[in-house]
Amino acid sequence: MFHSSLDFSRSDRIPGMLRRAFALCLAVLVLPALAFAQELAPGTRYDPKIPTLQSVLGWDFGQRITPPEGIATYIKALNAAAPERTRLIEYAKTWEGRPLHVLIVGSPERIANLDAVKQGLQQLADPRGIDQATADRLVREMPVVVWLMHAVHGNEISSSDAALAEAYHLLSAQGDAGVDLIRREALVVIDPLQNPDGRARFVQHNLAGEASIPDSNPASLEHDEPWPGGRSNHYLFDMNRDWFAQSQPETRGRAGLMLEFYPHVVVDLHEMGGDSTYYFAPPADPINPYITKDQQKWFDRFGRNNAAKFDERGFRYFIRETFDSFYPGYGESWPIFHGAVGMTYEQASSRGLVFRRSDETDLTYRDGVVHHFTAAIQTALTAAQNREQMVRDYLEYRSSAARLGEIGTRAYVIVAPEHDASRAAHLGRRLAAQGIEVFRADEAFPAAGRTLPAGSIIVPLNQPAGRLARNLLDADISQGDEFIKEQDRRRKRGLGEQIYDVTAWSLPALYDLEVVSVERPVQPRSTRLTRDMTPPGGGSLPAAKVGYLIPWGLGTAQAVVEALQAGLRVQTMDRPFSIAGRQYPIGTALFRVSNNPADLAAKLGAIVARHGVSATPIDTAFVEAGVSLGSNEVALLKAPKVLLAYDTPSSSLSAGWARYILERRWQQPITTVRNSSLGRIDLGDYDVLVLPSGNYNYSADQVRRIREWIQRGGTLITMAESSRWATQEANGLLSSWTLLADGSPNVPPPSGPSGNDKKAPPKVDVDKFDYEKAIQPERATSDGTAGAVVRVTLDKEHWLTAGLDSEIAAIVEGSRVFHPLKLNQGTNVGIYAKEDRIVAGGLVWPEVRKLMSEKAFLMHQPMGQGHVIAFAEDPNYRAFTEATQLLFINAVLLGGGH
């Protein structure tokens, strides 16, 4: 038997690191449940009839990282123990089939009448239909709804165990006047885990790396997550940026439930770097202009009350730094534009049970649980203490939003494109999913001095969600002159910009849709759109002698994917043409009767109806102008076999966006393969290879195989950093190069005789010395762009641009600028607009505008029988950039036909 030589009764004999580990082990593994409950809320007595986490799962709050299934088990146990004071709602399932729950905690009276309470909350949210007496009664009677959301990022772990502690405390605490007040005045909605799939991934990797004694070293296996980490969901989306895109079922379900209860306070509890402390409101600049003064007043009130509790307990914190509420797609900001007081709380993360900070102190998992619990309960208490004023201010927010649309601009009309009304309909349904009132015109109608077509989308601005509608539809949202001036000063001094996320997101621009402002009411015959509305079903198409024509667009691309999978044969036209008195654009799809099954009319009729597009039967192929239907400039498509590169060094976001767009948005079957296994794949079995953004480390032999596969007819699609990789001389895949800030090529300088590129310092002209110029780096890269919307001019003679106008908008994020291809190398299918009009929305520095002007956004370089199609930016950005997504699916579908 092994006998330890250490005497643990004498702590001074234990080496420092081992002593700390032993103490931590005792603290984490031995501390009784009651003792830690006292650490959560000192002095509180708890009802023994309410089960503790220890009694249900075998460990205490913060003692272990509770896995997703344990979280679900415990909140179900709480619901079973106190059914008269709780309501458990499953509001969605993840892509991997895990349920998402909220536990609603309230007084027995409110829980018993929850449907009536919900109806009252909905009345408050739309005050247009109630009189003043009813409004006053609702303000007196309705609870303040406090929505606590936890762990949208799966590896931000402490908030979920804090959520379990919050629920236990609110149900079990006895003799606590604050808890009694919360129970009486509030309805607390606890969403304990927004991202079960990501947390499951994190817990699996953490347990696999767990040491016998928790290891505090940040580089240790239990802290070192392999690609892609646990932050994102199944499709690797950052769901804290998905709230207006609502591309993921988790976000759609949560937003839908929120639109049933219309909360007054929403808190999104996160984690940040382990060397930080704790962050709560007020938020950092810039302030979105659609956040009201009343909301800002509440940010300050909640912040001060949280600070008082943190000061009392000796917890460190900071405010007004880093985290802003500018972008309307965050979990805390989207509710703000519905009228809530939305706030982000951030706790330094242990990313395991213990984390050694750079100051040589230990941050434990329990620390994070205690801090998040304290902030959440204090927030609920502040809301309860101010119930009536908060509810009244919410009512005023919704009322004033409706009044804003009664003067000046009354409505926005999103004009349906002549050949792709499904694009406008798609945006209309996306807006309806936000709780915005949206109508589809069923007939043409006059507005703004012109006749707008049927299918156009009308968004009245005199509605309670009017501020959110403006946020999403305005071309640009101001960050404020003072904020921009300060960022300019900081960048010029090399201090780094204080821009947290994107600076523009205009949905009409990113859909390539025109918006018309209307100052007078418009009332055509119309249909109100709903979040779940789908196109009506269709029957068999009319008989046709020659075939059916469908102009290319979003809906057509979806229909073609399905048709190809169903075995139908389709061609696309590389030039416009006119037939039977109608003009058709480039890319128009042709389904010929002669080379399709006999039941083409029935099969195609059902497909086009599902995707909201119309097929026109033709009885002659004789064109009046343009390309003939039997020309060599007609491409025969086939169902492409697509290979998507995955895993390191691919950007997880870019890889996830591409996979989601292909599999879910377009229903295009793909094979996803790890980059480490790409060498084992026979590329000849595939037509398309998609490389998400990333700097690939393929061997020379792998690159040679890719090049030869392209020459035999393959289509390589690159984006952002993978396009930069393709330009490298050793790869020889793309004849472009990136540019430095001064316009010179961003290529390694030649090495000197000693094997390095050092040069003698330049001589200083003392008479004409320019300090600002002298301190600039020799090879400075362009200043970055933090997500702006820029204009891109398209070559409308190129098949890649099918379904789009001659100018679209794209999101630029980063500092990549690509030199255009030469005429003998390929085609610059999309180039950035000229300097004076390149910016459609957001912040792009003047020097960057000049550098980007007329540089390449989308390049097509033929190679043998195949293609390299390179995007300067990610066309699938956050799954709401529909115009560039259409370019992406065009590359996938149309490349093989050319």
Side-chain angles (χ1 to χ4, degrees), residues 535-544 546-552 555-571 588-618:
S540 181
L541 295 172
V546 173
Y548 301 92
L549 293 172
I550 314 175
W552 197 262
T556 305
Q558 287 181 291
V560 165
V561 170
E562 183 177 350
L564 290 172
Q565 298 301 320
L568 301 184
R569 292 170 65 83
V570 57
Q571 297 169 291
T588 294
L590 168 62
F591 289 82
R592 281 187 175 272
V593 171
S594 59
N595 59 1
N596 270 296
D599 59 352
L600 171 65
K603 283 186 175 178
L604 186 59
I607 291 171
V608 297
R610 276 193 289 274
H611 300 290
V613 295
S614 299
T616 301
I618 54 171

Side-chain angles (χ1 to χ4, degrees), residues 101-145:
H101 298 99
V102 296
L103 184 71
I104 303 177
V105 180
S107 67
E109 296 76 19
R110 289 206 172 101
I111 294 299
N113 297 287
L114 192 59
D115 288 342
V117 171
K118 186 164 62 171
Q119 184 179 10
L121 294 168
Q122 291 171 1
Q123 283 184 284
L124 278 171
D126 189 357
R128 293 171 298 178
I130 59 176
D131 57 30
Q132 189 60 50
T134 303
D136 290 340
R137 177 181 60 80
L138 289 169
V139 168
R140 288 194 306 272
E141 296 177 355
M142 286 298 102
V144 60
V145 180

Side-chain angles (χ1 to χ4, degrees), residues 620-685:
T620 178
F622 191 88
V623 299
E624 285 123 28
V627 66
S628 294
L629 303 192
S631 166
N632 287 335
E633 293 188 77
V634 177
L636 176 65
L637 304 186
K638 66 175 183 177
K641 296 179 180 177
V642 182
L643 192 62
L644 173 67
Y646 212 63
D647 211 336
T648 183
S650 299
S651 156
S652 63
L653 287 173
S654 181
W657 295 337
R659 186 182 177 196
Y660 167 80
I661 290 298
L662 289 168
E663 287 187 350
R664 301 290 179 171
R665 177 70 176 88
W666 302 100
Q667 289 82 49
Q668 168 62 49
I670 63 173
T671 297
T672 304
V673 63
R674 297 188 189 280
N675 280 296
S676 58
S677 297
L678 191 63
R680 299 191 286 114
I681 294 290
D682 184 350
L683 294 178
D685 292 338

Side-chain angles (χ1 to χ4, degrees), residues 293-312:
K293 295 296 183 184
D294 278 344
Q295 289 172 311
Q296 294 180 55
K297 170 195 71 178
W298 287 114
F299 293 156
D300 188 76
R301 178 79 63 85
F302 279 99
R304 289 181 184 277
N305 285 5
N306 284 341
K309 179 58 71 173
F310 273 51
D311 289 340
E312 175 188 313

Side-chain angles (χ1 to χ4, degrees), residues 365-382:
Y365 185 51
R366 276 187 159 164
D367 291 333
V369 172
V370 172
H371 297 162
H372 266 324
F373 168 88
T374 303
I377 296 298
Q378 186 66 18
T379 296
L381 177 59
T382 299

